[in-house]
Amino acid sequence: AQKITQTQPGMFVQEKEAVTLDCTYDTSDQSYGLFWYKQPSSGEMIFLIYQGSYDEQNATEGRYSLNFQKARKSANLVISASQLGDSAMYFCAMRGLTGGGNKLTFGTGTQLKVEL
Amino acid sequence: EPEVTQTPSHQVTQMGQEVILRCVPISNHLYFYWYRQILGQKVEFLVSFYNNEISEKSEIFDDQFSVERPDGSNFTLKIRSTKLEDSAMYFCASSRGPAYGYTFGSGTRLTVV
């Protein structure tokens, strides 16, 4: 079984500042993938970034980076230079790649508000 | 960029009625999924579909739910007799395979009254 924990129900950040959204996970799978999705108020799920458990380098996609600490089982999302359009719900999710099925398991999400 | 298309975007139905939610996955994807998100809550897995059959389903996916890929392009979720608690956003997603990312559709907001 897989479990994702996001302990920050809400976060505030000032425009142009960096923000870290926390995510910890638990799994018995040796090989797995970690994802972050953004859900704006319009409701769609937008893929942001992916980290494989055997990737040696932290994933980066533009202003998004994933701070992957395997020993701590954490996969925090870092958003640099926050913009007003970053205000949204952010979900961390994982999928086992060996015998854990194909489904994504989601955390409860963090609501991010970017302020002027 | 290829996308997953879901129709309708909103559906209101009376309790006890049958609804069919439709999805067109990305054409070269092989794995298809339905997820549900009750308002203000986390996204929950319903079912995965591969090679024309269900590969995994959750406890939520009981006998009132069914999925079908009727014509090689559409992927549908049927709820036979809707209940008030079925009100949620339903997301379809597709993937090339386990080592690849998912692409989600924009969702169907189902309201049961």
Side-chain angles (χ1 to χ4, degrees):
Chain A
Q2 292 149 4
K3 186 176 179 183
I4 293 282
T5 302
Q6 294 179 256
T7 56
Q8 306 155 313
M11 288 281 286
F12 290 89
V13 65
Q14 289 217 314
E15 197 181 18
K16 300 178 187 174
E17 298 291 310
V19 63
T20 298
L21 306 184
D22 294 341
C23 172
T24 58
Y25 61 90
D26 194 19
T27 181
S28 54
D29 287 335
Q30 295 300 309
S31 180
Y32 48 88
L34 295 154
F35 302 77
W36 278 92
Y37 284 87
K38 172 184 179 182
Q39 187 178 43
S41 56
S42 50
E44 70 266 35
M45 295 288 285
I46 302 168
F47 167 74
L48 295 178
I49 196 165
Y50 169 80
Q51 177 86 42
S53 57
Y54 286 105
D55 294 340
E56 292 189 353
Q57 294 203 335
N58 286 343
T60 60
E61 288 285 347
R63 293 186 300 111
Y64 303 108
S65 61
L66 200 152
N67 183 2
F68 180 48
Q69 297 188 44
K70 194 170 181 178
R72 291 186 173 186
K73 292 190 174 179
S74 74
N76 298 339
L77 176 71
V78 181
I79 305 174
S80 62
S82 298
Q83 302 171 356
L84 294 177
D86 294 334
S87 294
M89 182 71 94
Y90 288 80
F91 289 99
C92 180
M94 77 175 299
R95 177 176 64 197
L97 298 177
T98 52
N102 234 352
K103 66 177 186 282
L104 279 178
T105 300
F106 284 84
T108 50
T110 295
Q111 183 73 49
L112 177 67
K113 175 88 168 135
V114 181
E115 300 173 317
L116 289 168
Chain B
E1 188 169 326
E3 58 181 32
V4 174
T5 305
Q6 287 188 246
T7 54
S9 56
H10 293 88
Q11 176 138 11
V12 180
T13 189
Q14 289 208 323
M15 192 168 55
Q17 295 295 304
E18 174 183 286
V19 294
I20 297 176
L21 310 183
R22 301 181 192 280
C23 169
V24 179
I26 293 174
S27 60
N28 65 346
H29 285 189
L30 301 175
Y31 294 80
F32 315 113
Y33 311 86
W34 284 100
Y35 287 81
R36 179 180 84 174
Q37 185 183 31
I38 294 172
L39 187 64
Q41 298 186 23
K42 69 177 182 181
V43 181
E44 301 172 293
F45 168 76
L46 291 178
V47 66
S48 59
F49 192 86
Y50 170 71
N51 202 25
N52 284 321
E53 61 183 22
I54 291 173
S55 50
E56 190 175 357
K57 60 183 181 179
S58 72
E59 295 171 350
I60 303 168
F61 195 88
D62 61 21
D63 290 345
Q64 70 160 344
F65 291 92
S66 62
V67 289
E68 201 175 37
R69 189 157 160 79
D71 57 13
S73 63
N74 289 286
F75 179 51
T76 62
L77 174 70
K78 183 192 289 186
I79 309 174
R80 262 180 268 284
S81 177
T82 50
K83 304 171 194 167
L84 294 176
E85 54 264 37
D86 293 328
S87 294
M89 180 77 98
Y90 288 81
F91 290 103
C92 174
S94 69
S95 170
R96 286 170 61 190
Y100 297 89
Y102 284 56
T103 303
F104 280 81
S106 53
T108 293
R109 188 172 297 283
L110 176 67
T111 303
V112 183
V113 297

